[in-house]
Amino acid sequence: MRGVRDDLRSGAPVLFSGTPCQVDGLLSFLDGGHDNLLTVDIVCHGVPSWEFFKDCIDAEFAGRDLVELRFRDKREGWGCGGGGTVLHNQKKKDVPFAPEVSYYYKRFLAGDVYRESCYRCPYAGGERPGDLTIGDFWGIDSADAGLDPRRGISLVLANSHKGRELLPVIKKSSTWAERDALEAVAGNDQLRHPTPRPKERDAILKRWRERGIESLEDQYRRETGHSAMRWRVLRLLKRVLRPLLRRED
């Protein structure tokens, strides 16, 4: 936040993107907005603790030098998959990061390891702190909108005068369609209410603290071994067939 403040003081334009609470925290730190500051908040489901995230990622990428981690990677199509980039023999190599093979990602999607405050999030529904809100446009009628959903369709909401002024710029550099805001709300629970607090949350975090992440990761791999193998095979087939299907298009 100090870096943002220093850049603004020097006259540099700043784009700040983060969860709604991060955006609101920045605005509070700056004691309000700034002419050279554009803020973008994401449609956020919730955030686990940094300690839990680090434990899981250290276990899942053990022995490999992790360079990059991507959630909701659209390079293999629209969905909840992701990807990681690791160094292997001094060369970068992409590896899958998805709920089918990642204990962390599975728990993230289940919403049972978030911070306690996330289940009472004041930004889910109601007022958004960012000039713009972005996310996946789940539930969009893509045929009616005339958009191709294969690589994903993004949602953009303008929440301020500054955000609305930028919409023409966004439209010029994208394929877009105006939709009723109610359609976006219908497909995104977090635009209506916070993630419900699962009953299993306390038990899962207790097992993590008492048994350690390695035990939970090993148990997850045993329980999902066969389904994970099928997922990897299907993923490989899709990657092989996708270029052929595109040629036919």
Side-chain angles (χ1 to χ4, degrees):
M1 290 188 179
R2 291 188 178 90
V4 172
R5 181 191 60 191
D6 294 342
D7 285 342
L8 291 172
R9 285 177 174 174
S10 71
V14 175
L15 168 63
F16 181 89
S17 175
T19 62
C21 55
Q22 288 174 326
V23 171
D24 206 13
L26 173 67
L27 295 175
S28 296
F29 175 77
L30 297 173
D31 196 24
H34 193 284
D35 289 343
N36 280 354
L37 173 65
L38 177 70
T39 56
V40 180
D41 66 59
I42 63 173
V43 179
C44 177
H45 293 244
V47 182
S49 74
W50 168 252
E51 184 181 8
F52 181 81
F53 170 77
K54 187 176 186 304
D55 268 8
C56 289
I57 299 306
D58 285 348
E60 294 175 16
F61 290 91
R64 293 180 287 183
D65 188 1
L66 180 63
V67 177
E68 181 184 45
L69 192 63
R70 302 180 299 276
F71 282 81
R72 306 290 170 88
D73 189 354
K74 302 298 191 294
R75 289 185 290 184
E76 294 186 19
W78 198 7
C80 292
T85 302
V86 298
L87 283 180
H88 182 71
N89 293 330
Q90 302 303 313
K91 294 183 179 180
K92 290 185 177 181
K93 176 183 178 182
D94 281 339
V95 295
F97 179 66
E100 290 82 1
V101 292
S102 167
Y103 176 75
Y104 175 80
Y105 213 145
K106 182 70 173 181
R107 298 273 63 83
F108 175 82
L109 291 182
D112 50 26
V113 291
Y114 296 161
R115 300 166 191 256
E116 194 67 59
S117 57
C118 294
Y119 303 113
R120 303 187 303 273
C121 177
Y123 309 101
E127 297 296 323
R128 310 289 298 191
D131 296 307
L132 297 170
T133 292
I134 61 174
D136 282 306
F137 203 142
W138 300 115
I140 186 174
D141 186 340
S142 54
D144 183 56
L147 300 174
D148 183 354
R150 287 179 293 181
R151 298 298 295 273
I153 299 176
S154 297
L155 165 71
V156 181
L157 298 173
N159 307 314
S160 70
H161 177 70
K162 188 184 296 183
R164 288 188 288 274
E165 283 187 323
L166 277 173
L167 288 182
V169 179
I170 297 173
K171 292 175 181 179
K172 286 181 180 179
S173 57
S174 63
T175 302
W176 63 277
E178 288 190 15
R179 309 297 295 174
D180 193 307
L182 293 178
E183 185 176 3
V185 172
N188 284 274
D189 287 345
Q190 281 64 40
L191 290 176
R192 298 196 301 272
H193 55 73
T195 296
R197 190 184 192 280
K199 296 179 180 179
E200 302 82 6
R201 177 185 181 273
D202 292 341
I204 291 172
L205 294 180
K206 182 179 179 181
R207 288 198 298 270
W208 163 53
R209 295 187 183 97
E210 292 179 350
R211 294 165 49 185
I213 197 62
E214 290 292 350
S215 174
L216 301 183
E217 290 277 2
D218 288 343
Q219 179 181 340
Y220 184 71
R221 282 191 286 268
R222 290 194 301 270
E223 293 173 349
T224 61
H226 294 296
S227 60
M229 180 61 70
R230 288 196 298 272
W231 178 82
R232 290 179 186 273
V233 172
L234 289 173
R235 175 176 177 269
L236 178 60
L237 288 174
K238 289 179 181 178
R239 295 183 71 181
V240 171
L241 294 175
R242 188 173 293 113
L244 300 177
L245 294 175
R246 286 176 181 168
R247 291 175 188 172
E248 295 180 1
D249 291 344

